[in-house]
Amino acid sequence: MAFSAFQIVATRNFRVEFLRITRDGACNGVNLLPNYWEDRQDIETAQLVLNVVAFIVSVWLSWKLIKQFGWQTFKRVGANMGVNRMYKLVLGLSVVLQLSIFFVVASVALWVEQICIGAASFIVHHKIFYEVTYLIVLIFLFPWAACGWFGVRRESKLMTHIFIGGTILLLGSWAAMFASSTFRLLVQSWKFFATLTIISIILLCCVLVLTVACRLQFGKHAKKLTNYRAYLVNFGSFIAHLFSSFLFYWSSK
């Protein structure tokens, strides 16, 4: 929604600059795009309205989920504040990890697309190196995410340390990309790509902080509470369903 509003403002500023150079300058009063700006404004306004409606619906659904989440958390880990805090920490890491995977893949895909078939392909240096490097990064994301997902839940120090090292490596690779003049130019000229890149870096930093916080909780029964209670809930539901089916079977006799 914010990006749609920003796009309307950016289009308006670009229109003023375009008309100043063409109609009021070199073209002597001739408007080269008489209907383009109105059509684009209508499309961007409709897009903003749809995003606002989607945002309102998302807020309402999130509020309903938060209420349900609070009750499910209470049923699973009880009312102990310390245990509740550790449980939410693990769940928060899971959410941020999934978001970071999405934004990292999206930003890498846009960058690779630009250096392969986009405008940046004409000015980029060491294109083969970038293609091979980011292919390795995309393959690396799957074991990296698995180490983070299972390492924290199982309190595996080895998997968690590998995950932390991989996160630092990803952050370092993004930082190294700013040494490329083509990458900096793309970030400066393409706001959408810049937004995805910045969000992916922020999420990776959040993943690193949450992982370190979870690692400090190892040995404080977080594994037992997150796994064993989940097992009890699932097993209890299975027993309740089996018992109700058994009663229904004998009552129908």
Side-chain angles (χ1 to χ4, degrees), residues 240-253:
H241 177 72
L242 184 64
F243 185 71
S244 61
S245 300
F246 178 79
L247 291 179
F248 176 79
Y249 172 78
W250 282 105
S251 62
S252 61
K253 288 294 186 177

Side-chain angles (χ1 to χ4, degrees), residues 11 13 23 40 77 86 95 136 146 150 160 165 173 188 218 226:
T11 300
N13 295 334
R23 186 189 64 184
R40 179 165 179 169
V77 302
M86 289 189 296
V95 173
I136 295 174
F150 296 107
T160 304
S173 65
Q188 293 172 0
F218 282 8
T226 54

Side-chain angles (χ1 to χ4, degrees), residues 24-181:
D24 303 334
C27 296
N28 295 323
V30 178
N31 191 355
L32 300 179
L33 302 172
N35 300 321
Y36 170 77
W37 302 108
E38 287 74 12
D39 295 340
R40 179 165 179 169
Q41 183 179 5
D42 293 339
I43 294 174
E44 291 179 346
T45 303
Q47 183 181 11
L48 177 61
V49 171
L50 291 176
N51 286 331
V52 170
V53 174
F55 176 75
I56 295 174
V57 174
S58 299
V59 169
W60 180 75
L61 291 175
S62 299
W63 178 70
K64 301 289 287 185
L65 287 174
I66 288 173
K67 291 179 62 179
Q68 183 67 21
F69 169 77
W71 173 240
Q72 293 294 333
T73 303
F74 176 77
K75 290 195 300 182
R76 179 165 293 188
V77 302
N80 185 281
M81 294 301 297
V83 174
N84 199 290
R85 190 181 304 110
M86 289 189 296
Y87 183 75
K88 289 181 179 180
L89 196 63
V90 174
L91 292 182
L93 175 61
S94 303
V95 173
V96 177
L97 176 60
Q98 295 176 72
L99 287 174
S100 65
I101 292 173
F102 171 79
F103 281 97
V104 167
V105 171
S107 54
V108 167
L110 288 177
W111 167 243
V112 172
E113 185 268 341
Q114 282 296 310
I115 64 176
C116 290
I117 59 175
S121 61
F122 298 101
I123 59 175
V124 68
H125 301 287
H126 312 294
K127 183 168 66 173
I128 302 299
F129 171 76
Y130 288 132
E131 292 175 355
V132 174
T133 300
Y134 280 98
L135 178 62
I136 295 174
V137 169
L138 291 176
I139 297 174
F140 169 75
L141 284 177
F142 294 99
W144 170 77
C147 286
W149 189 270
F150 296 107
V152 173
R153 285 168 170 76
R154 299 175 181 177
E155 292 191 354
S156 172
K157 295 181 180 180
L158 177 61
M159 296 178 69
T160 304
H161 292 164
I162 292 175
F163 180 72
I164 293 175
T167 306
I168 296 174
L169 184 62
L170 285 174
L171 286 172
S173 65
W174 275 122
M177 282 309 304
F178 284 94
S180 170
S181 59

